[in-house]
Amino acid sequence: MLGPPGAGKGTQAVRLADHFSCADIATGDIFRANVAEGTELGRIAQEYMDRGDLVPDEVVIAMVMERLAEPDCTAGFLLDGFPRTVAQAEALDHRLAELRTPLHAALNFEITEEELLRRLAGRAVELHRSDDSEQTIRHRLEVFAIKTRPLIDYYAHRGLLVNVDAIGPVEVVTKRILDDLLDQNRSGE
């Protein structure tokens, strides 16, 4: 799942993982759990997240590759928050080739900056998230534009990109995603 912070990836990941009966691998949740537990990874991740920066590729790649080896991933999985850079995407491609597990789609959540700022500001207040202050939000959007947007081209070139209109009620966006995936599957046959 690709898209800027606040686009609804986490919300939709839970719904889609339930729909497809597969594992939902959310790097943000893994980072936050490590922060709460006070692990070394958690301390490192917290420094980056508080600034709105991406956690270094080597840390994220190692963590996600370890997670993909867990038994609940054998029936399939959905990645929320990974990959975020082309280097991470290439590492994922290498690992999936080893596992003989094809990547079926990369969902790109499209949303206006105005809607993003509204959502993230609301989430910061509601969840008391230190990575959702206004200054950090703007920095995260800049980081996304520079480091993550190249993934859109990467997956478009591979024929895996599915653009999703991420504005609207949760149920409506979920239906759009499922319809878009069905259309992509039909065109790929």
Side-chain angles (χ1 to χ4, degrees):
M1 301 183 100
L2 307 172
K9 298 181 304 292
T11 299
Q12 293 301 329
V14 170
R15 295 175 66 87
L16 293 172
D18 183 55
H19 177 84
F20 291 111
S21 300
C22 65
D24 172 13
I25 302 172
T27 54
D29 291 346
I30 295 168
F31 289 150
R32 283 186 284 280
N34 276 277
V35 168
E37 294 168 14
T39 67
E40 184 175 341
L41 173 62
R43 286 188 294 276
I44 293 168
Q46 184 69 57
E47 290 177 26
Y48 287 92
M49 292 188 310
D50 282 348
R51 291 193 308 260
D53 289 331
L54 297 181
V55 177
D57 283 347
E58 60 274 4
V59 174
V60 180
I61 290 167
M63 178 186 64
V64 172
M65 295 310 138
E66 188 175 289
R67 177 67 179 90
L68 289 177
E70 293 183 20
D72 65 333
C73 292
T74 58
F77 51 86
L78 189 139
L79 295 168
D80 170 15
F82 182 88
R84 287 199 175 169
T85 67
V86 172
Q88 290 177 9
E90 290 169 344
L92 176 64
D93 287 345
H94 180 73
R95 178 65 175 152
L96 293 180
E98 288 174 351
L99 296 172
R100 299 182 197 274
T101 302
L103 187 65
H104 295 285
L107 301 176
N108 177 38
F109 286 59
E110 297 180 320
I111 188 167
T112 64
E113 185 172 328
E114 178 182 312
E115 178 66 9
L116 284 174
L117 292 172
R118 187 190 66 74
R119 287 182 185 184
L120 290 170
R123 185 172 79 180
V125 170
E126 182 180 329
L127 301 178
H128 308 291
R129 284 189 42 177
S130 63
D131 59 335
D132 280 342
S133 69
E134 184 174 347
Q135 180 181 356
T136 305
I137 290 168
R138 290 195 183 282
H139 181 67
R140 288 172 68 200
L141 293 176
E142 290 170 14
V143 169
F144 170 78
I146 294 166
K147 294 193 175 184
T148 307
R149 280 202 191 271
L151 284 174
I152 295 167
D153 293 336
Y154 180 84
Y155 285 117
H157 179 73
R158 295 192 51 218
L160 296 173
L161 190 70
V162 176
N163 290 308
V164 176
D165 176 359
I167 297 177
V170 171
E171 301 79 19
V172 172
V173 175
T174 303
K175 182 171 180 349
R176 277 186 206 138
I177 292 169
L178 294 172
D179 290 348
D180 290 345
L181 288 172
L182 184 60
D183 289 346
Q184 186 214 26
N185 190 38
R186 283 188 192 131
S187 66
E189 292 176 349

